[in-house]
Amino acid sequence: MAGYAYSGFGGEALIRVDNLDLLKEQIWADLLPFIAFGVVFLLVNHTAVSLAIALSEDTEPRKVLGTLAGRTGTNLLYDLFISPIAIAVAILYMHLSVFGFPLIILPIIFIHQAYQTIVQLQQANRDLLTVLVKAIETRDPYTSGHSLRVASLAVRIAESMGLSGKRVTDVETAAMLHDIGKIESVYTEILGKPEDLSPEERKVMESHVTKGVELLEQLSSFSKDVIEGVRAHHERVDGKGYPRGLKGDQIPAAARIIKVCDAIDAMLSDRPYRKALSLAQVKEQLVLYSGVQFDLEVVKAVIDGGVLKDHQVEIATDRPIPGELSEPSSAKEMAPHSDLKPK
């Protein structure tokens, strides 16, 4: 198909020339056909590979293609930029026959090493981030794994809402980091309180948002969208959240998703003051507070997408063994440290 595209754009077969200037003229004359060749080849190849992986892994081809393309499509750009190597191979073959192939091995090894280094750096950054988040949550066995589970749930919701691959990745990162401000020890004792917080304690807890944003702003590796998602994850669609009292669509999409995920994970998890809620109770709370605390579109994606059951199973796989807990009797008792208030 790429060959047909090359011919269709007027490209002609390379011929052996010993004059360098003539060779340059030949390449420049066929530049547009070469670009068409590269684009078509990459698109067809990536689509075919995505389809093969999707069939073998029982997943959606669109998700696989998004992963292959990279967060912002940069992988495709890298592939396009290195496609002129094919021209170099053809020229070397014309002039040196099969002996020209070894000359192309070194740049191919270099390109492979560059790809491998990028992947290793990305994985190392993710591993460090995961370790940091886990270290923060080990102080409270009841919230251990909370941020990772919220991130996992946020990805499923963001995908069901049809967000782009880059936005899904930003939502996942922001969800993983949404409680990063609680790294300071001042929050440890308050987190373990079984009763309602005093106004002073609630003010301290609310400060974790600002602390987290201050920390992330010192690091250049996090985008503005990620930081804003962390900053606004305690805002409410009715404007009664914090720290800025944003309303409705003023709240970034990532923050609206995290807000719902945070509440779902809390309600489906055992706490020192109550047992985990049932799926029916969680759905009731989500519907009850839709348009008040929670974004309607996000709640609809949760309920229609059937992600609650999967999240309940995910919690059960790493939940610590709780002590004897009492059954919740009201919305306030369900989450006394959250924004939920009984109507």
Side-chain angles (χ1 to χ4, degrees):
M1 291 180 69
Y4 283 127
Y6 179 81
S7 300
F9 277 85
E12 298 182 358
L14 289 175
I15 59 174
R16 177 171 178 173
V17 292
D18 295 325
N19 186 295
L20 185 59
D21 290 334
L22 291 177
L23 180 62
K24 288 181 180 178
E25 291 179 7
Q26 186 180 13
I27 293 176
W28 278 109
D30 289 332
L31 181 60
L32 181 59
F34 277 130
I35 294 175
F37 175 92
V39 171
V40 172
F41 177 85
L42 290 175
L43 290 178
V44 173
N45 183 61
H46 279 66
T47 302
V49 171
S50 299
L51 181 60
I53 295 176
L55 290 173
S56 63
E57 299 292 337
D58 192 24
T59 186
E60 295 182 16
R62 179 178 61 86
K63 295 180 181 178
V64 180
L65 184 59
T67 302
L68 291 179
R71 287 184 56 186
T72 57
T74 49
N75 290 350
L76 285 177
L77 288 178
Y78 291 149
D79 290 341
L80 189 61
F81 286 145
I82 67 172
S83 59
I85 286 182
I87 304 174
V89 171
I91 294 173
L92 286 171
Y93 179 75
M94 285 190 300
H95 286 268
L96 302 175
S97 188
V98 294
F99 299 104
F101 287 134
L103 298 178
I104 208 65
I105 293 298
L106 286 179
I108 289 178
I109 292 176
F110 172 78
I111 292 168
H112 171 75
Q113 188 63 36
Y115 273 122
Q116 192 174 38
T117 300
I118 291 172
V119 171
Q120 289 174 342
L121 286 173
Q122 290 175 339
Q123 187 60 46
N125 288 337
R126 186 173 183 83
D127 290 344
L128 286 172
L129 185 61
T130 301
V131 169
L132 175 61
V133 170
K134 285 184 176 181
I136 296 172
E137 295 180 345
T138 52
R139 293 176 295 184
D140 182 1
Y142 285 95
T143 60
S144 179
H146 167 74
S147 294
L148 297 179
R149 292 194 304 269
V150 167
S152 175
L153 178 58
V155 167
R156 293 197 292 271
I157 295 175
E159 289 177 344
S160 68
M161 292 173 63
L163 300 187
S164 66
K166 179 183 181 302
R167 294 185 69 189
V168 170
T169 302
D170 286 342
V171 169
E172 180 184 22
T173 304
M176 189 179 297
L177 295 169
H178 75 282
D179 278 341
I180 193 71
K182 294 178 182 177
I183 192 171
E184 296 186 12
S185 58
V186 66
Y187 303 103
T188 304
E189 183 177 347
I190 301 177
L191 286 170
K193 283 194 66 174
E195 64 273 2
D196 284 346
L197 303 183
S198 67
E200 292 77 16
E201 289 171 330
R202 184 170 289 276
K203 187 175 182 179
V204 171
M205 285 303 302
E206 291 179 357
S207 70
H208 83 275
V209 174
T210 305
K211 295 286 186 182
V213 170
E214 290 174 353
L215 176 61
L216 295 178
E217 286 179 336
Q218 297 177 31
L219 306 173
S220 60
S221 56
F222 298 111
S223 67
K224 180 181 178 181
D225 290 337
V226 170
I227 293 175
E228 289 304 312
V230 173
R231 190 197 307 271
H233 78 275
H234 275 295
E235 300 287 358
R236 296 167 42 131
V237 294
D238 63 359
K240 296 181 180 179
Y242 64 89
R244 293 178 291 178
L246 302 180
K247 299 177 66 174
D249 291 340
Q250 293 177 335
I251 306 171
R256 282 179 271 147
I257 293 173
I258 295 171
K259 175 77 172 179
V260 174
C261 295
D262 203 8
I264 289 174
D265 191 74
M267 289 188 285
L268 285 176
S269 302
D270 289 330
R271 288 292 188 263
Y273 43 85
R274 59 148 175 85
K275 288 183 179 179
L277 275 63
S278 66
L279 293 180
Q281 288 174 310
V282 172
K283 288 181 180 180
E284 180 185 355
Q285 292 296 308
L286 292 176
V287 172
L288 184 63
Y289 291 98
S290 292
V292 180
Q293 291 191 50
F294 307 132
D295 181 81
L296 289 170
E297 182 183 4
V298 178
V299 172
K300 186 176 185 300
V302 171
I303 295 176
D304 294 347
V307 300
L308 286 177
K309 181 63 177 178
D310 292 338
H311 195 69
Q312 186 182 50
V313 173
E314 185 175 350
I315 292 174
T317 59
D318 61 2
R319 177 174 8 196
I321 300 175
E324 291 297 323
L325 305 175
S326 59
E327 292 288 349
S329 59
S330 69
K332 184 177 181 181
E333 186 180 346
M334 288 173 187
H337 297 174
S338 76
D339 300 324
L340 289 174
K341 291 289 185 294
K343 284 191 173 181

